[in-house]
Amino acid sequence: MAGSTTRARVLGFRVRAQQLDRESGDLADTAILDLGVQDTGPDGGRWALAIRGVRVAELTGRELATVWTIRGAPHLYWRADLASVAAAVEPFSDADAGKRIYDATKPLKAAGISNFAALDEVAAAMRSVVTAPMVKGDVSGRVATLVSPPYLRFCRSCDATHLYEMPFRLAALRAGLELQPGTSPPVLEPIDDFTRAAVVSEQHDVIRAYLRLLGPATPKDVAGYLDSSVKEVKARWPSDAVEVSVDGAAAWVLAADVDQLAGDPPAVTRLLGPFDLFLQARDRPLLVADPARAKALWPVLGRPGAVLRDGEIVGTWRPRRSGAKLTVLVEPWVEPSAALLDAITAQAERLAAYRQVRLAGIDLAT
């Protein structure tokens, strides 16, 4: 064992590793892009980059690509990294692919079709259909005519037969397809000159990246993040991961990062988006010990953002937009001091500037 540390120092480690203490920085050295930046909702991927100091308004629009990857969610990556990313986010095995596509695996197994073969077939069909920008529903409808019944399910809500959702999403990058940013419903289009890398780079290895950015962690934490199994993750556990004790509980961090656990949390305040990587750690009780607060932060539907203050989650926030004005509704979990309110207001101004609207004010929930 490499020693012991505390919950506070783990949170501080994550703040620094994810560069949430950075006031300005280049996209090229933004660490969270290695694991992918989930781009869900108006305060999604680009807001996550903005609060890490990236001047997102100055991006040309071609530096980043949006693709469905981990858990089938849309994530932002460096466009130049897509070949390596595609190799990294592949299921570890056919059994792992079955776990990641959920209920779609049952009819495939009954038909004698392996999960990898199914993903390849759906990818080939998608590749043949999407030769120019195309709305997701049209892609799904066209692909449904090219595959056999085990790939399809009847949807009661729309009274139609569709492809299973997760194979469709996980096959998109295999097919060399990306999402046009900001489109709803999503628009898919071919990635220029795309070829998946033959090997996974250390930089984009998802287990290593999780430990770098969300460590110390356990195989169970990583498996939960990937929708994989503990067995699959343990079989690929990095040889240079070392065990540390976090307030008496065993967790692992990369050996090169052990010394980074020594510092206290940086004194910064941030308005984290609902799907910010800091909130994606699977050891949620470490982040928020109170079950009622955890339920409020991670509801099944309609997640709020989180107020991060000196490494701690100290409340939730929700945006309320009316025309060109934005109000930020804050529910504090601590007594809001003048200093905290000033810091929240400064970050709300930052959010308003990002959204290109005027901040109307901060409303404190009572």
Side-chain angles (χ1 to χ4, degrees):
M1 184 176 288
S4 61
T5 190
T6 64
R7 170 184 174 275
R9 289 191 168 181
V10 168
L11 296 178
F13 170 90
R14 294 178 186 179
V15 169
R16 289 188 295 273
Q18 296 181 35
Q19 300 167 316
L20 282 162
D21 58 338
R22 192 171 71 165
E23 292 301 326
S24 64
D26 294 332
L27 189 68
D29 63 2
T30 298
I32 60 174
L33 286 168
D34 291 346
L35 191 55
V37 184
Q38 187 163 337
D39 194 27
T40 301
D43 304 313
R46 283 165 175 76
W47 174 242
L49 297 174
I51 61 175
R52 289 165 172 87
V54 176
R55 297 179 181 86
V56 294
E58 298 177 8
L59 300 180
T60 66
R62 294 301 297 170
E63 299 96 335
L64 298 171
T66 308
V67 287
W68 282 320
T69 55
I70 296 169
R71 303 179 309 280
H75 285 75
L76 301 179
Y77 298 91
W78 254 123
R79 180 171 296 281
D81 288 342
L82 282 181
S84 178
V85 167
V89 299
E90 278 282 285
F92 297 129
S93 67
D94 195 76
D96 187 41
K99 190 173 190 309
R100 298 192 196 196
I101 63 176
Y102 306 139
D103 56 340
T105 193
K106 185 175 180 179
L108 294 171
K109 182 177 181 180
I113 302 170
S114 74
N115 299 304
F116 272 144
L119 289 175
D120 285 338
E121 183 165 345
V122 174
M126 294 176 76
R127 193 180 305 116
S128 71
V129 165
V130 184
T131 57
M134 195 171 180
V135 176
K136 177 193 174 190
D138 294 340
V139 179
S140 179
R142 289 277 302 279
V143 171
T145 68
L146 302 177
V147 297
S148 57
Y151 294 84
L152 306 172
R153 65 177 181 85
F154 179 73
C155 177
R156 293 181 182 276
S157 61
C158 54
D159 193 28
T161 298
H162 303 298
L163 286 160
Y164 280 88
E165 183 69 14
M166 287 305 289
F168 181 79
R169 288 178 176 245
L170 296 186
L173 186 54
R174 295 170 82 93
L177 304 178
E178 64 179 301
L179 305 175
Q180 283 191 352
T183 54
S184 181
V187 173
L188 290 88
E189 63 183 0
I191 302 169
D192 294 337
D193 302 318
F194 175 77
T195 303
R196 188 173 69 209
V199 296
V200 177
S201 71
E202 183 173 293
Q203 176 186 357
H204 298 115
D205 180 300
V206 289
I207 298 175
R208 297 185 66 85
Y210 189 100
L211 292 176
R212 275 201 319 272
L213 297 167
L214 289 164
T218 67
K220 182 179 179 181
D221 296 331
V222 179
Y225 178 80
L226 298 174
D227 271 349
S228 185
S229 70
V230 174
K231 178 181 178 181
E232 297 278 5
V233 171
K234 280 186 173 180
R236 294 157 182 84
W237 201 243
S239 60
D240 58 336
V242 295
E243 183 180 345
V244 296
S245 172
V246 180
D247 291 338
W252 284 259
V253 68
L254 296 176
D257 295 333
V258 170
D259 290 346
Q260 301 304 313
L261 288 167
D264 292 326
V268 295
T269 300
R270 297 288 184 263
L271 297 184
L272 304 179
F275 293 91
D276 191 274
L277 184 62
F278 192 84
L279 304 177
Q280 298 276 16
R282 286 323 194 243
D283 52 355
R284 288 180 174 178
L286 184 137
L287 288 179
V288 179
D290 182 85
R293 289 176 174 174
K295 186 176 180 179
L297 182 58
W298 293 292
V300 176
L301 296 173
R303 292 187 188 185
V307 180
L308 177 71
R309 174 75 164 176
D310 304 345
E312 291 283 352
I313 304 301
V314 297
T316 62
W317 66 273
R318 293 183 184 274
R320 294 288 184 267
R321 180 170 177 172
S322 177
K325 296 188 296 184
L326 178 72
T327 299
V328 177
L329 175 64
V330 176
E331 183 173 346
W333 294 348
V334 297
E335 185 65 30
S337 65
L340 176 58
L341 289 177
D342 286 347
I344 290 173
T345 300
Q347 293 303 308
E349 291 280 10
R350 190 177 190 177
L351 176 67
Y354 164 79
R355 287 194 172 205
Q356 298 182 316
V357 295
R358 180 174 63 85
L359 181 67
I362 304 294
D363 281 352
L364 292 180
T366 57

